[in-house]
Amino acid sequence: MAPRSGGTAPRPGGEDGPGAAPRPARSVPSAPLAVTLDDVREAQKILSGVSRTTALEGSRYLAGLVGAPVQLKCENLQRTGSFKLRGAYVRIARLTPGERAAGVVAASAGNHAQGVALAASLLGVRSTVFMPEGAPLPKIAATRDYGAEVRFEGQIVDESMRAARRYAEETGAVFIHPFDHPDVIAGQGTVGLEILEQCPEVRTVVVGIGGGGLVAGIAVAVKALRPDVRVVGVQAAGAAAYPPSLEAGRPVSVEAPVTMADGIKVGLPGDVPFAIIRELVDEVRTVSEDELSSALLLCLERAKLVVEPAGASPVAAVLSAPESFEGPVVSVLSGGNVDPLLMQRILRHGMAAAGRYLSLRLRLTDRPGALAKLLAELSAMDANVLDISHVRINPRLGLSEAEVELQLETKGPQHCAEVREALHGAGYTVMI
C-alpha cells in the first residue's frame, strides 16, 4: 500500500445537494488512487480479532424526519472509543522489524493518541505521544493507560505535531500520521466494508471530516462495491477546509479553525485523503455549532449513545436538511471520547439551541406577594425556574414597579411560546 498519486476518474453518485462543495472540472482519468479496495480488504484481515465490528443502531426519530430508515454506525463503541484504532493498528502492523524496534511517535489531543497507544502496545512497540498543554485529563489518562509515554508541547495540536516530527528525526521513531497515509486510510476504510455488510440496502453514507482519513477510506470501499451509494462528508463550519480546497483543486489551509468538535478541528486536508475525497466523495456539507450540540443532545436522549461533537456531525447534517438525504441512510458516529466538563457545556448549549431554555425579563407591580404569585403561575405552566434576579431599585422603573429576570427550563419551542402567551394573558409586561 505504497502512496500513489490521486486520479481524476469521474465520480459516481447523484446530483449535489444543499451545501455541496463545488466539484472541479475533470477530463481524462490519470494515475490510480493511493488506496484500493484490495488494500482495505487486506486491512480488514490485519484487524481481525483486534478491532470490533461495531453495531448499527436504528433511529426512529431521524427516520421519521428523512422518511426512510436511518442507521447509526457506532464507532463511539469501538475500542479506545473511536475509529482511530483501525488505521493506527494497520499502519504500525505494516512496519518493518527495524522500524518497530525504533518505536513510533504521534501527536494528538485525544482519539488518535489512544489509537496509537493501544495499537503499539498490542504489537509490542514502544510509543510516544505528544499532546497539547490543556488536553482533557481523561484522554491523557487513557493514553497513558494504553501504554504510551505522554509528552506535552504547545497549545494546539499543530504545535504538538511539529514536536512529534522533530522527535522522529532525532530518535528514528516512525511518525504515525493521523490521516495522511495510505495504510491509515485503508484501516479506516474497514468501516465502509462493515456498513455494506450490515446494511446492504444503504443509499447514503454520512461521515464527519477532519483531515479526511475516515471518509476517504469509507469512500474507497463503498464506491468500489456500490458506486450507486452516495457518500456525504460533513465538516464543522468553523473548521471547514475541504470546501475551499475542493474548489481550488488542492489542499487549502484554514487559519485558526474554531469549533467545539476537536476531533474534526483540522486546518489543512491531507494530500492522500484529499485526492481520494476529490474523486469519490459526492458532497461536503458544513454544520453550525448549534447544530452540532443539538445532534449530540439527540444522540444522548433518543439513542442513549454518548458521542463527542465530531462524532455527532453526520447526525447534525441529517437534522439540518433531512429531506435532502435518500434512505436508507447510515450516519457514522466516529467517536465518543468527550471530556465530562465539555459535555456539560455542550449539553447546556444543545438544550438552548433546541429551545429547552427560555430567558425572560418582565415587569410586575411591586407589592408583597407579587413575586410569589408569578412563580406559582410559572409552576402551573410546568416551567422550571433555573435562575432569578429580582430588581426593585432602578431609574428605568416606576415607583410601583419591579423587574424580574428569569432563566427557565422548558419542554421545547412550543412550550416556550405557550409560557410567553400565558404571561401576556395574565397581564405581565414581558420585555424579552
Side-chain angles (χ1 to χ4, degrees), residues 180-191:
D180 202 16
H181 193 281
D183 290 347
V184 172
I185 294 171
Q188 323 302 28
T190 58
V191 176

Side-chain angles (χ1 to χ4, degrees), residues 246-260:
L246 291 169
E247 186 174 6
R250 58 179 174 79
V252 173
S253 178
V254 171
E255 297 300 325
V258 177
T259 177
M260 70 174 78

Side-chain angles (χ1 to χ4, degrees), residues 172-199:
V174 178
F175 178 68
I176 307 299
H177 200 284
F179 50 82
D180 202 16
H181 193 281
D183 290 347
V184 172
I185 294 171
Q188 323 302 28
T190 58
V191 176
L193 294 180
E194 291 178 13
I195 289 172
L196 294 182
E197 292 165 1
Q198 294 169 308
C199 185

Side-chain angles (χ1 to χ4, degrees), residues 93-416:
R94 292 178 60 83
L95 296 178
T96 66
E99 289 171 329
R100 291 195 192 190
V104 298
V105 61
S108 167
N111 289 347
H112 181 58
Q114 293 171 68
V116 168
L118 178 57
S121 293
L122 292 173
L123 291 163
V125 177
R126 184 179 70 258
S127 63
T128 304
V129 175
F130 285 81
M131 304 183 81
E133 300 284 350
L137 294 178
K139 294 184 179 182
I140 295 170
T143 303
R144 284 177 170 150
D145 287 345
Y146 288 130
E149 176 190 351
V150 175
R151 301 189 181 191
F152 299 98
E153 183 74 29
Q155 299 301 312
I156 59 176
V157 175
D158 287 346
E159 294 172 349
S160 303
M161 189 87 75
R162 288 192 288 271
R165 290 187 182 278
R166 286 196 303 270
Y167 179 89
E169 293 172 358
E170 294 167 359
T171 66
V174 178
F175 178 68
I176 307 299
H177 200 284
F179 50 82
D180 202 16
H181 193 281
D183 290 347
V184 172
I185 294 171
Q188 323 302 28
T190 58
V191 176
L193 294 180
E194 291 178 13
I195 289 172
L196 294 182
E197 292 165 1
Q198 294 169 308
C199 185
E201 67 278 13
V202 64
R203 296 294 300 164
T204 307
V205 179
V206 192
V207 192
I209 303 181
L214 177 61
V215 73
I218 289 175
V220 167
V222 169
K223 290 295 188 179
L225 295 169
R226 287 281 307 281
D228 60 304
V229 173
R230 188 171 180 80
V231 179
V232 177
V234 183
Q235 291 208 285
Y242 266 92
S245 297
L246 291 169
E247 186 174 6
R250 58 179 174 79
V252 173
S253 178
V254 171
E255 297 300 325
V258 177
T259 177
M260 70 174 78
D262 58 347
I264 53 174
K265 186 179 177 181
V266 177
L268 180 66
D271 291 333
V272 180
F274 175 79
I276 296 171
I277 290 168
R278 181 180 58 189
E279 301 306 320
L280 299 182
V281 173
D282 297 285
E283 178 187 350
V284 175
R285 301 187 180 197
T286 61
V287 291
S288 69
E289 299 298 283
D290 282 352
E291 289 166 341
L292 284 169
S293 56
S294 295
L296 187 148
L297 185 62
L298 182 140
C299 289
L300 188 62
E301 286 190 328
R302 298 297 185 98
K304 311 305 183 223
L305 292 168
V306 176
V307 181
E308 61 189 276
S313 59
V315 174
V318 174
L319 281 174
S320 68
E323 71 287 346
S324 66
F325 290 90
E326 181 184 359
V329 177
V330 174
S331 290
V332 180
L333 307 182
S334 58
N337 293 319
V338 58
D339 180 69
L341 295 177
L342 176 61
M343 174 69 89
Q344 290 180 358
R345 296 198 298 270
I346 292 171
L347 289 179
R348 287 196 297 267
H349 188 85
M351 290 182 70
R356 299 278 293 277
Y357 291 140
L358 176 62
S359 297
L360 290 174
R361 179 163 56 89
L362 51 82
R363 291 185 183 177
L364 64 161
T365 303
D366 185 16
R367 63 169 180 258
L371 179 59
K373 180 175 179 291
L374 169 64
L375 295 177
E377 289 172 338
L378 288 171
S379 176
M381 300 172 203
D382 209 17
N384 186 33
V385 178
L386 300 177
D387 192 26
I388 184 169
S389 174
H390 188 206
V391 179
R392 301 178 65 193
I393 302 174
N394 193 292
R396 67 174 178 265
L397 297 175
L399 290 175
S400 60
E401 289 183 323
E403 192 170 88
V404 177
E405 292 186 2
L406 295 161
Q407 295 287 331
L408 306 175
E409 181 183 0
T410 72
K411 299 174 183 178
Q414 180 62 35
H415 191 205
C416 289

